[in-house]
Amino acid sequence: MSVAARFVRSVGALLLLAAALGAQGRVAGDDTAVDTTPTPGAIPFERWKAPEPQTGELLCGTCETSGREYFERDPQWEGHLDERTTESGPTWRVLHDSELYTSDNYGLDWTACDRRKAPSIHDLAEAHYAGEVARRQAWLDERRRVDAAVRAKQPLVHIESTHFVLAWGIPKVKTSAKKTYRMHAAAMLYLERFEQLYAEFQTLFELEDRMNQTSKHFVYLFERQSEFSDAAPRYTGLTGSTTVQRMSGVEQDSSLASWWDKGMYSSDDDYRRHLSYSLIKHFTSDLYDLRWFEPGELGLVPPWLNDKYGWLDTGLCHWFELRLPGNVISYSMREQDTTSRWKGNDWRKNILKAAKSGDVPTFAEVITLPTQSLTAKENQFVWSWIDFLLARDTPAMGKALAMTKQEYATRDILKECWGLSVLGFEQAWTDWVLVAYAPTKR
Ligand SMILES: [Zn+2]
Ligand SMILES: [Zn+2]
C-alpha cells in the first residue's frame, strides 16, 4: 500500500473510532451514569437532572427534588471571570483551574440540599458533591507540588485544558494593544494562544489527536530564572539558560520550561512568538500514529524531526512564528547562536533579494542538515521553502509529516506530497518567490 493510501486509511479509521468514542462518552460517567456536573470553563452545559424520587419519598421545595441548591457566585469572582479571554474554543476547553478551585465552594455553584425529604436523591447529591470537591482538591494538591518545587513566592496559576497543562508564574502581561492582564487572566491568554496554535496546526495539515502519542503538553512558565532553574531539570530532565524542551516519548511527557527573559523577549509579542516557535516542535514530535506502521515496524526514533529533517523542523517552526505579530527575533535558542544574524528583519525582502541575485544555499545540501547545523541565513531559507510548499499544497504537509515518521527520504516526500523533485525544487521555488514576495503596489 502506498504511503498516501495508508495515511488516508488511518484518517478514515480515526474518524470512525472518534465517532464511536463520542457516542460512548456521553453515557460513561465516573461513578454514576447521570452525573453531568459541569467542568469549569465548559459552556454551555445542561443542568443536572435528578432521577425520579423513590415510591414514598417526599418532594422537596427547596431544591425542587434535585438534591442540589444552586446559588449566584460571589460577584467578585464573576468580575474575575469577565477578565478571562474565552473559556473554551471549538477544539478545547478548560478542564481545571487553580484559581477557580480556590474560590468559594471550590468554584462550584451548587451544594447538596440539606433537607432530606427525598433521601435517595439527597444521598446522590451529597455523593456527587463530595466526589467533585475531592476531584478538584486532588488536582490542586498535585499541581501545588510545582509551587513547592520552584519555591514560588506567590501561588502559581495552574490551568489544564484539553491539550495543555500550564503552570504560570508571571504576575502580569502587557500586550502591544496596551491591555494589561493580571496573573490568572495572563495565564488564560497564553493558554488560549497555545490551543489556537494547536488547532491551527491540526486544521491546516488535516491532523487529528488520535495520530499523536500524547496530545498533552506540559508547559512551565516563570517570571524568575531561579524558578525556571528549579523546574527545568525536574520536569524536563534538562538544564539551560532560557527555554528547555523535552519531547514526548514512550514513557515521558512532552514538556517545556521557560522563564520570560525580558532582555531577550522585551514584549508580549516576542515571547509569544518564541513560545509558538518552540511548541511547534512538540506538536511535530508528538505526531506518531502506530497505524502508520506495519506490525513490528519501527518509526522515526527519536520521533522529533530535528536530527533527520532539520529543514522541515525549523522551517515549520519559523512559518508559524512569522504568522504572528511582531518582529522576527526568535531563532531556536537551543540550536542557534543567538548573536548570528543574516540581513534585516524582513525575511521576505531578504529572500527575494537573494533569489534575484542567485545567492541561494543548495537545497540538496541543506535538506541533509540537522536543525542544529543550520546557519542564520539557512534558517530564513528553510522558512521560505516551507512557505512555498504550503502555498502549493497546505494539507500535504500532514502527509509529509507522517512520511517523516516512516523515515522516507526527503526526495520521496517532495514527490509524493508536492509533485516536486529535489533537482526541480530550486527553480520552482525561485519562480514562486519572485512573484509571491514581490513588493505589492499600493
Ligand atoms: Zn432538597
Ligand atoms: Zn481564574
Side-chain angles (χ1 to χ4, degrees):
M1 198 185 308
S2 78
V3 183
R6 243 198 282 173
F7 181 71
V8 168
R9 187 189 59 173
S10 301
V11 175
L14 290 179
L15 293 176
L16 286 175
L17 186 61
L21 286 171
Q24 202 179 45
R26 251 167 252 142
V27 281
D30 2 47
D31 48 347
T32 64
V34 289
D35 190 4
T36 55
T37 301
T39 304
I43 42 169
F45 61 89
E46 285 178 37
R47 190 159 274 202
W48 185 65
K49 287 191 187 71
E52 292 297 315
Q54 290 175 7
T55 315
E57 288 187 324
L58 299 171
L59 298 181
C60 175
T62 309
C63 67
E64 295 170 355
T65 326
S66 71
R68 296 186 180 199
E69 269 193 272
Y70 288 89
F71 52 87
E72 296 295 309
R73 286 172 199 252
D74 182 339
Q76 195 181 347
W77 171 250
E78 294 294 338
H80 175 76
L81 279 176
D82 293 341
E83 236 189 298
R84 294 185 176 206
T85 46
T86 55
E87 305 289 327
S88 63
T91 58
W92 62 279
R93 53 196 255 179
V94 172
L95 303 175
H96 300 280
D97 181 331
S98 62
E99 197 145 323
L100 181 66
Y101 290 179
T102 50
S103 70
D104 286 351
N105 196 34
Y106 293 87
L108 287 165
D109 66 348
W110 65 278
T111 53
C113 175
D114 58 7
R115 297 170 69 99
R116 301 189 49 82
K117 295 205 172 163
S120 67
I121 287 168
H122 287 90
D123 286 350
L124 195 57
E126 275 168 24
H128 281 172
Y129 184 80
E132 186 55 27
V133 166
R135 191 179 73 86
R136 293 179 180 212
Q137 189 62 55
W139 182 85
L140 204 52
D141 289 347
E142 178 64 30
R143 298 303 294 163
R144 287 290 178 228
R145 294 163 63 133
V146 181
D147 296 52
V150 305
R151 296 169 284 173
K153 288 193 177 134
Q154 59 174 314
L156 302 173
V157 169
H158 298 277
I159 309 178
E160 179 170 348
S161 63
T162 307
H163 305 108
F164 296 90
V165 183
L166 176 63
W168 177 267
I170 299 162
K172 69 174 180 188
V173 168
K174 191 172 178 187
T175 65
S176 57
K178 303 269 184 275
K179 187 165 160 55
T180 299
Y181 293 79
R182 283 180 292 134
M183 193 160 176
H184 169 266
M188 267 312 295
L189 175 70
Y190 270 73
L191 184 77
E192 185 187 6
R193 290 168 171 179
F194 298 162
E195 285 285 3
Q196 281 170 350
L197 183 70
Y198 186 95
E200 198 173 27
F201 177 80
Q202 288 196 330
T203 306
L204 287 171
F205 305 154
E206 296 178 358
L207 300 168
E208 305 262 345
D209 278 0
R210 293 279 157 184
M211 301 171 185
N212 295 330
Q213 297 183 91
T214 66
S215 300
K216 198 74 139 183
H217 304 281
F218 290 74
V219 181
Y220 303 84
L221 302 177
F222 303 102
E223 183 187 36
R224 283 187 293 276
Q225 189 170 20
S226 65
E227 295 167 322
F228 161 79
S229 301
D230 285 336
R234 181 180 293 252
Y235 300 112
T236 68
L238 300 162
T239 56
S241 56
T242 48
T243 298
V244 292
Q245 303 172 249
R246 181 179 68 187
M247 302 304 154
S248 56
V250 177
E251 283 185 345
Q252 67 187 29
D253 297 328
S254 167
S255 52
L256 178 153
S258 177
W259 71 286
W260 192 333
D261 182 348
K262 291 285 169 69
M264 200 170 278
Y265 312 105
S266 60
S267 71
D268 166 56
D269 283 344
D270 290 347
Y271 198 47
R272 175 190 188 181
R273 288 168 72 112
H274 166 65
L275 293 175
S276 301
Y277 175 100
S278 305
L279 283 173
I280 293 295
K281 285 175 187 282
H282 291 263
F283 302 165
T284 57
S285 294
D286 197 37
L287 189 67
Y288 196 95
D289 188 336
L290 291 177
R291 277 164 294 194
W292 292 336
F293 310 105
E294 302 297 341
E297 189 189 352
L298 204 59
L300 182 67
V301 178
W304 52 77
L305 304 182
N306 56 333
D307 296 338
K308 292 184 180 159
Y309 305 94
W311 71 283
L312 251 179
D313 171 44
T314 309
L316 266 180
C317 291
H318 283 310
W319 190 81
F320 279 95
E321 176 192 13
L322 264 71
R323 285 159 64 84
L324 298 169
N327 294 319
V328 182
I329 58 146
S330 195
Y331 287 86
S332 174
M333 292 309 164
R334 190 163 64 85
E335 296 111 1
Q336 191 70 38
D337 172 7
T338 57
T339 58
S340 96
R341 287 286 180 268
W342 184 67
K343 301 192 175 180
N345 274 339
D346 188 339
W347 285 20
R348 288 170 150 251
K349 199 172 150 190
N350 299 344
I351 294 288
L352 177 65
K353 202 171 163 192
K356 277 182 177 166
S357 64
D359 178 22
V360 175
T362 308
F363 179 71
E365 284 171 16
V366 176
I367 59 176
T368 65
L369 300 175
T371 296
Q372 295 87 321
S373 303
L374 297 173
T375 63
K377 178 179 177 180
E378 286 160 353
N379 265 259
Q380 297 192 25
F381 277 87
V382 296
W383 160 76
S384 178
W385 292 343
I386 295 297
D387 198 26
F388 162 62
L389 291 175
L390 294 183
R392 193 176 172 94
D393 186 343
T394 309
M397 183 57 77
K399 193 164 77 182
L401 291 172
M403 286 181 76
T404 64
K405 299 308 168 90
Q406 293 162 80
E407 299 200 80
Y408 280 86
T410 293
R411 66 171 179 278
D412 296 332
I413 296 174
L414 287 172
K415 189 148 203 307
E416 176 92 28
C417 302
W418 289 283
L420 290 163
S421 68
V422 171
L423 285 178
F425 184 94
E426 275 177 39
Q427 191 56 53
W429 169 80
T430 306
D431 293 346
W432 179 80
V433 162
L434 295 179
V435 176
Y437 294 175
T440 47
K441 292 185 183 112
R442 302 222 169 202

